Amino acid sequence: MSSPFPLPALHASHSGTWLRPANGVTSTVSKGDAIMAAADTPVLLLNAPLVASRLGYPDLSGLDLLELFAFVHPARFCVPTPRGLAEALGLEEPQGDENVPAFLQAAAGALMAICESAEWTEREGAWSALQNLVRLRWPWAQVLGPFLARPAKAERWLFSKLPEWEEAPERPAPRQTELSPAAVLARLDQLTGAGAEQREGQRAYARDAAQVFSPRDKRGEPHLLLAQAGTGIGKTLGYLAPASLWAEESGGTVWVSTYTKNLQRQLRQESRRAWPAERPDGSPPVVVRKGRENYLCLLNLEDALQGGFAGRAAILAQLVARWAAYSQDGDMIGGDLPGWLGTLFRKRGVAALTDQRGECVYAGCPHYRKCFIERAARSSAQADLVIANHALVMVNSARGRDTGQRPTRIIFDEGHHVFEAADSTFAAALTGQEAIELRRWIIGPERNSRGRRRGLAARLADVSSYDEAGGDAVEAALEAAHALPSDGWLQRIHEGAPSGPVEALLAQVRTATYARDESGGQEAGYGIETEAAGLPGELIEAAGDAEEALAAIRAPLMKLGTRLEAILADAPDWLDAQGRARIEGARHSLAWRIDTLAAWEALLERLGGPTDPEFVDWLAVDRSEAREFDVGIHRHWLDPMKPFAKVVLEPAHGVMLTSATLTDRSEAGPEWGSAVARSGAAWLEVPPRLTAADSPFDYASRAEVLIVTDIRKGDLPALAGAYARLIEASGGGVLGLFTAIRRLRAVHGRIADRLAREGLPLYAQHVDPIDTGTLVDIFRDDPRASLLGTDALRDGVDVPGHSLRCVVMEQVPWPRPDILHKARRLAGGGNAYDDRIIRARLAQAFGRLIRSKEDAGHFVVLSPAFPTRLLTAFPPGTPVLRLTLEEALQRIASGVFGAGNPATGVNESVGEEPA
């Protein structure tokens, strides 16, 4: 049993501040005294940024136990709260805020004891890392030193310790096979387990899902299935049954695509029922695949460890290096790196360690054979199941490096988000931020810039020296790229002194946008926009000059791509396998930039001319709290499912889109029209198959919708008071959803202290210095906690059980009437288009409430005039009551819900579907 560590400990919450001396008694102190105590001597803290936020002192520092936990247990999960840390360390949870300081001392003692224990499984590398952290003056370094024994022999450096990936032969094309319904159901029974209840809805769903794995009849005509599966059907195992059977019989790869990282984690767990962790040869049959920007870049890390990072960021790099040695796959965003680690250091240190800017040098990197990204790509080529996200599937289909590895059997789970993902993937934006990134990619470091960024000339130096034409193309691209914006471009535009044709265009865009804005966003500090129609002559002239400058960049890049192809076709003697891989990577990157430039030129060419009915173009100034951060021109497809159908659906053999909220629901029941339109099926020659399985949950007796009619819109004090009283009545467990960040912050600021004093913690997106995934972890872990958030929490949260028992929406989630929405609304039926969006949002939000058959709760909308036509968003049979806040509080406090319970309000129970 470890002893409490003899250092002072500090804890602050919305209900007060407590300080415990090294060997003394915990006492309540003022915020000022707490800040002074932390300044005088190192104090134990848990989540220093959060404590600093509670004290209103952003410069607070101390001995953060989360940093120590990340050092002692890298790649291990821990909810960053006293309760979560107690569970992770096997300690007794502190009861009440006043007992937290004593617990922090006990937790510090427990972590020190682990470091002295012979059973410490993460000992390797710790002593060497600590020596580096001593030089960086990590607050824990001197404290931890006596507890870490020097190893008997020198420890291997991370970059020598990581295993290398191995090349594998190309996987043959899958065999053509038909899945029999009996075999699919037998596999489903195997996955659900002996003795499991047979759910007819799940069995029918699995049989339908098997259809997408049949051999296709014609090129460009995939088997397309739209499958709606209500919550509780068990759709994950429903489609994994035929997917695993097909992969086994055909030797092919199935891609399952999600929209949220939470579902990816769930899928990885569920897939263990169908596949082992490893095949006999050690390769993984299931691989989680994400975009490059999610993975640790080893070259970036090496640069950070060797002086590229300074101050606190350098400490973060050392902790990340500790994690990298134990990580399962190097996934920094949603993987086994604690989501809270980056936020402890307040700056974008984690992002700087990933390949966010497309700067990878591929085989030119000294760590190429150990690269997490390359390992994931190669593993996915050999996998039976690849778990990815919508954006990656679309990008991989559009410009994957190996056409033979592009997905051909795809299941889009959370299929209601495919439209949004396609809208983002196939859009074009010529903005200052995008243009300056292209300049940096071509030219490389300029002036005193730090980091490892290398321009085209450095990446292809050997090619330039061997191939004169290729060298000339590189030089021409470098010269032409000086026309792109450089550092300080936004300041120059503000001062009326743009440099170069693209900055001159952005200056005209900014002037026109401010002149024509009628949204009121200028005064409110929001971003502003205007349609790209009827533009002034100065802007059109500037667009022509910028278009010529972009064409002058694209031409040598295209020539360079041709020369690289020629070198690969007639390889010189010095070109080894590593050099060939590097040139292949360069070709891939070049193609991406050439496509980007072509899209920008097409966008500029249309300015001043007739509008293209397939696109929506607009000018925008992006701002946050009245601070400008970007200016540019945007283009989106009016229907992004047209390029989606061409790029993703047509080359595929079988595609399934599935979700609990795929269809719109009217009084007549599910309507498939919008689901078909938003799937891309309208752009194919073959019609999709449609199937639906209703949820088995008894919503009539386990849930109800309460529409509160006496909270006037715009009355912020009344809104805040309603939230506080609803959380009190429910005893926590409330998920509060907002349509505006400003109102969320205002409500949180008014009620957090009051709730904390009653033992009801309140957390909030855009307020607490904690990433969204960690906020959900905290909310899930504590049944008395409540969480306020915006769109990201509306359908990206899976919190079954008692921790989520009430969902509160501040108002009807009307669509934001921006230019793109107005254009689609006009094309999609006006008010009916809006209603479909709102019903989908309500259905997704309601879906957070009931995640299992044991769940029960209330769905509250604070809207005095909730339109009756929107009630069909809720499952059939769900009671809907219009009532006052006092009546709603009585029902929530007494645990009354569902049909047959006494109600004082007007009951508008959602009708059952007609037979």
Side-chain angles (χ1 to χ4, degrees):
M1 186 72 181
S2 58
S3 302
F5 202 72
L7 279 176
L10 174 65
H11 174 65
S13 75
H14 282 293
S15 61
T17 308
W18 292 266
L19 181 66
R20 183 182 180 90
N23 296 290
V25 178
T26 303
S27 60
T28 304
V29 296
S30 68
K31 291 182 178 180
D33 289 342
I35 294 168
M36 290 295 294
D40 289 342
T41 182
V43 296
L44 298 174
L45 304 166
L46 185 66
N47 198 337
L50 185 63
V51 174
S53 174
R54 299 288 189 260
L55 295 177
Y57 186 69
D59 295 328
L60 181 77
S61 62
L63 296 166
D64 195 331
L65 281 162
L66 291 181
E67 293 182 28
L68 180 60
F69 185 89
F71 178 88
V72 175
H73 291 309
R76 191 177 296 190
F77 177 75
C78 168
V79 177
T81 61
R83 174 190 173 100
L85 185 60
E87 184 176 347
L89 296 177
L91 300 176
E92 184 178 348
E93 177 190 349
Q95 300 299 316
D97 283 330
E98 66 278 6
N99 294 314
V100 170
F103 164 76
L104 298 182
Q105 293 173 337
L111 286 165
M112 297 300 173
I114 290 170
C115 293
E116 293 182 305
S117 169
E119 283 77 40
W120 184 25
T121 56
E122 298 105 332
R123 177 181 298 279
E124 186 180 5
W127 188 86
S128 299
L130 187 62
Q131 308 318 301
N132 295 325
L133 288 165
V134 168
R135 289 191 291 272
L136 294 171
R137 299 183 180 181
W138 183 41
W140 276 109
Q142 296 295 339
V143 178
L144 192 56
F147 297 87
L148 267 184
R150 181 169 186 159
K153 60 180 182 179
E155 295 177 318
R156 291 179 297 164
W157 196 33
L158 168 70
F159 300 102
S160 62
K161 183 164 51 176
L162 289 174
E164 292 188 350
W165 49 261
E166 296 180 355
E167 292 285 5
E170 185 174 335
R171 201 174 196 192
R175 296 180 292 276
Q176 301 299 316
T177 182
E178 291 274 5
L179 302 181
S180 72
V184 170
L185 295 182
R187 177 58 58 90
L188 179 62
D189 290 341
Q190 177 187 335
L191 299 187
T192 53
E197 174 191 0
Q198 286 196 351
R199 290 176 278 182
E200 189 50 45
Q202 185 185 45
R203 295 169 71 80
Y205 177 87
R207 287 194 298 266
D208 291 337
Q211 297 172 4
V212 303
F213 298 102
S214 299
R216 69 178 181 181
D217 297 328
K218 293 182 180 179
R219 181 183 177 89
E221 295 185 5
H223 296 290
L224 179 59
L225 174 68
L226 308 186
Q228 180 159 281
T231 307
I233 283 294
K235 61 179 169 55
T236 302
L237 294 181
Y239 60 65
L240 285 182
S244 60
L245 186 62
W246 179 83
E248 180 182 298
E249 294 186 359
S250 71
T253 301
V254 180
W255 285 61
V256 177
S257 178
T258 77
Y259 192 70
T260 62
K261 295 181 177 67
N262 178 66
L263 183 55
Q264 283 189 332
R265 287 194 294 266
Q266 179 184 325
L267 268 166
R268 176 176 244 169
Q269 294 171 351
E270 294 279 13
S271 70
R272 291 171 185 155
R273 301 192 187 200
W275 287 277
E278 290 183 348
R279 299 187 180 105
D281 64 359
S283 63
V286 178
V287 174
V288 176
R289 180 87 184 275
K290 298 181 180 180
R292 305 184 65 86
E293 67 282 357
N294 289 274
Y295 296 93
L296 172 67
C297 169
L298 293 174
L299 197 54
N300 276 348
L301 177 62
E302 183 181 35
D303 176 69
L305 295 175
Q306 294 182 346
F309 280 14
R312 289 275 293 162
I315 295 172
L316 172 63
Q318 293 290 336
L319 295 178
V320 169
R322 277 278 292 152
W323 161 79
Y326 295 91
S327 173
Q328 178 179 356
D329 55 12
D331 179 4
M332 301 189 77
I333 315 295
D336 52 16
L337 181 76
W340 40 258
L341 184 60
T343 60
L344 297 182
F345 294 84
R346 295 179 173 87
K347 294 186 178 179
R348 296 180 68 253
V350 167
L353 292 172
T354 63
D355 179 26
Q356 284 211 323
R357 300 173 296 190
E359 59 191 5
C360 183
V361 295
Y362 298 97
C365 174
H367 309 302
Y368 181 66
R369 292 298 303 273
K370 300 182 177 186
C371 175
F372 289 115
I373 306 168
E374 294 296 328
R375 182 186 304 279
R378 280 159 177 76
S379 296
S380 67
Q382 303 296 321
D384 295 336
L385 177 70
V386 177
I387 302 170
N389 57 60
H390 295 350
L392 178 65
V393 169
M394 294 177 198
V395 170
N396 211 42
S397 297
R399 52 173 183 257
R401 290 166 62 187
D402 185 349
T403 55
Q405 295 179 13
R406 292 178 183 176
T408 59
R409 274 81 177 178
I410 313 169
I411 297 170
F412 286 100
D413 204 336
E414 298 179 306
H416 58 280
H417 278 302
V418 167
F419 185 93
E420 287 83 358
D423 189 29
S424 175
T425 300
F426 299 109
L430 173 51
T431 72
Q433 297 285 6
E434 293 289 328
I436 199 172
E437 281 301 315
L438 178 61
R439 177 191 177 105
R440 290 168 178 163
W441 182 82
I442 296 173
I443 295 177
E446 296 183 88
R447 298 178 188 161
N448 298 321
S449 60
R450 301 178 64 178
R452 65 167 186 85
R453 182 182 290 275
R454 301 166 68 193
L456 268 181
R459 287 204 289 279
L460 298 174
D462 51 355
V463 173
S464 298
S465 62
Y466 167 79
D467 183 78
E468 184 178 353
D472 291 343
V474 170
E475 289 300 321
L478 292 178
E479 180 64 29
H482 284 89
L484 294 169
S486 59
D487 291 337
W489 67 274
L490 195 55
Q491 183 64 33
R492 288 192 294 275
I493 286 176
H494 284 187
E495 295 170 352
S499 173
V502 178
E503 285 190 22
L505 170 63
L506 297 176
Q508 291 292 338
V509 167
R510 180 178 182 273
T511 299
T513 305
Y514 272 102
R516 295 159 54 137
D517 174 57
E518 299 182 54
S519 66
Q522 292 187 40
E523 292 72 23
Y526 304 135
I528 57 175
E529 61 183 21
T530 187
E531 294 178 3
L535 299 173
E538 296 89 346
L539 194 156
I540 295 171
E541 183 178 349
D545 294 340
E547 184 185 350
E548 291 181 9
L550 296 176
I553 301 170
R554 183 167 59 92
L557 293 182
M558 292 177 65
K559 182 179 179 181
L560 178 59
T562 302
R563 296 310 308 161
L564 294 180
E565 289 179 12
I567 291 173
L568 290 174
D570 185 16
D573 295 339
W574 53 263
L575 188 64
D576 56 11
Q578 184 172 344
R580 177 178 288 274
R582 182 166 49 82
I583 291 179
E584 286 284 6
R587 285 179 59 206
H588 173 69
S589 297
L590 272 173
W592 173 14
R593 270 68 184 197
I594 290 168
D595 288 346
T596 298
L597 283 163
W600 288 353
E601 291 173 54
L603 174 58
L604 295 180
E605 186 180 12
R606 304 295 302 186
L607 293 182
T611 58
D612 188 330
E614 289 198 318
F615 296 99
V616 182
D617 300 340
W618 70 94
L619 319 179
V621 177
D622 294 326
R623 306 194 306 167
S624 175
E625 297 180 350
R627 185 185 64 84
E628 291 181 22
F629 60 89
D630 209 357
V631 179
I633 311 172
H634 299 260
R635 162 168 283 190
H636 283 236
W637 285 82
L638 183 64
D639 182 3
M641 304 318 290
K642 182 175 182 178
F644 172 80
K646 186 72 176 177
V647 170
V648 180
L649 296 183
E650 285 188 10
H653 289 240
V655 179
M656 175 179 177
L657 275 72
T658 185
S659 168
T661 56
L662 208 56
T663 66
D664 185 31
R665 186 184 293 275
S666 70
E667 294 180 358
E671 292 187 352
W672 283 98
S674 62
V676 172
R678 293 173 73 88
S679 70
W683 300 102
L684 295 178
E685 295 294 328
V686 58
R689 293 188 176 99
L690 310 176
T691 181
D694 291 334
S695 172
F697 295 156
D698 183 8
Y699 292 106
S701 62
R702 304 293 293 174
E704 66 182 14
V705 177
L706 306 179
I707 300 175
V708 175
T709 58
D710 56 348
I711 304 299
R712 188 163 47 87
K713 185 176 181 179
D715 189 343
L716 194 58
L719 179 68
Y723 263 99
R725 297 183 68 191
L726 288 165
I727 291 171
E728 290 166 350
S730 182
V734 173
L735 176 64
L737 299 175
F738 286 76
T739 58
I741 295 173
R742 184 165 295 185
R743 284 195 295 277
L744 181 156
R745 288 172 171 165
V747 167
H748 178 273
R750 286 173 178 262
I751 67 175
D753 291 0
R754 161 183 167 179
L755 293 171
R757 288 191 291 270
E758 297 181 30
L760 299 172
L762 180 65
Y763 298 91
Q765 271 187 306
H766 310 291
V767 176
D768 292 314
I770 305 174
D771 66 287
T772 300
T774 301
L775 283 172
V776 174
D777 289 337
I778 294 171
F779 177 53
R780 183 187 294 112
D781 189 59
D782 186 353
R784 292 185 64 79
S786 295
L787 177 59
L788 307 182
T790 53
D791 289 357
L793 299 182
R794 190 177 57 229
D795 59 347
V797 174
D798 186 17
V799 183
H802 193 57
S803 288
L804 200 173
R805 50 196 178 272
C806 183
V807 175
V808 182
M809 299 193 78
E810 53 141 351
Q811 64 175 33
V812 176
W814 303 105
R816 183 170 171 262
D818 56 25
I819 289 171
L820 181 59
H821 172 75
K822 287 187 287 187
R824 288 178 176 159
R825 183 180 186 275
L826 183 63
N831 289 338
Y833 179 81
D834 281 353
D835 287 351
R836 286 195 296 270
I837 291 175
I838 298 167
R839 282 194 289 265
R841 291 176 178 177
L842 290 170
Q844 291 153 20
F846 183 86
R848 302 311 96 210
L849 186 63
I850 308 294
R851 307 300 296 170
S852 69
K853 63 182 181 181
E854 289 80 21
D855 287 356
H858 299 87
F859 186 88
V860 182
V861 185
L862 303 174
S863 173
F866 188 97
T868 300
R869 68 182 184 276
L870 301 179
L871 294 178
T872 54
F874 306 113
T878 306
V880 180
L881 307 176
R882 295 184 187 267
L883 69 186
T884 65
L885 178 62
E886 290 297 334
E887 293 165 339
L889 293 170
Q890 291 175 19
R891 296 185 70 82
I892 292 172
S894 61
V896 174
F897 46 77
N901 290 317
T904 54
V906 179
N907 192 324
E908 292 190 61
S909 177
V910 180
E912 298 285 354
E913 292 181 32

